[in-house]
Amino acid sequence: MNHTTTTWYFNTAGDRILLADDSNDDWWKGLIEDRIGYFPAAFAHELQEADHVFRCNRTFIGCKEQGQLTLKEGQ
């Protein structure tokens, strides 16, 4: 199945990817800004209409003992 208008969220980088081809179960082809290429399908998920995406605007060093996450600016 080919998608040309679906927006995807790249978990590890925080990037939105315009999916160009998901015909392979393991590797998908997508577009980020002016770059196009392949990425592991397991590293992305499709955004649903009700999903909210947040971007970290400052780095926060969390305390593992208190169950806090460390976030880097831009994630």
Side-chain angles (χ1 to χ4, degrees), residues 5 7-9 22 29 31 36 57 60 63 65 70-71:
T5 59
T7 301
W8 294 74
Y9 179 72
D22 66 353
K29 187 176 185 178
L31 175 71
I36 192 164
N57 58 13
F60 171 78
C63 176
E65 291 80 20
T70 295
L71 302 172

Side-chain angles (χ1 to χ4, degrees), residues 8-75:
W8 294 74
Y9 179 72
F10 199 61
N11 291 333
T12 57
D15 290 332
R16 287 179 181 258
I17 301 169
L18 183 62
L19 190 63
D21 181 12
D22 66 353
S23 60
N24 183 295
D25 289 338
D26 298 319
W27 287 89
W28 292 343
K29 187 176 185 178
L31 175 71
I32 300 176
E33 296 175 0
D34 63 344
R35 298 173 296 152
I36 192 164
Y38 292 92
F39 61 94
F43 281 45
H45 71 273
E46 183 177 5
L47 291 176
Q48 303 299 316
E49 292 244 356
D51 286 348
H52 298 280
V53 177
F54 299 91
R55 183 171 305 257
C56 183
N57 58 13
R58 292 189 330 188
T59 297
F60 171 78
I61 307 299
C63 176
K64 287 183 184 178
E65 291 80 20
Q66 294 179 7
Q68 297 172 344
L69 298 173
T70 295
L71 302 172
K72 294 183 181 177
E73 183 176 350
Q75 281 186 317

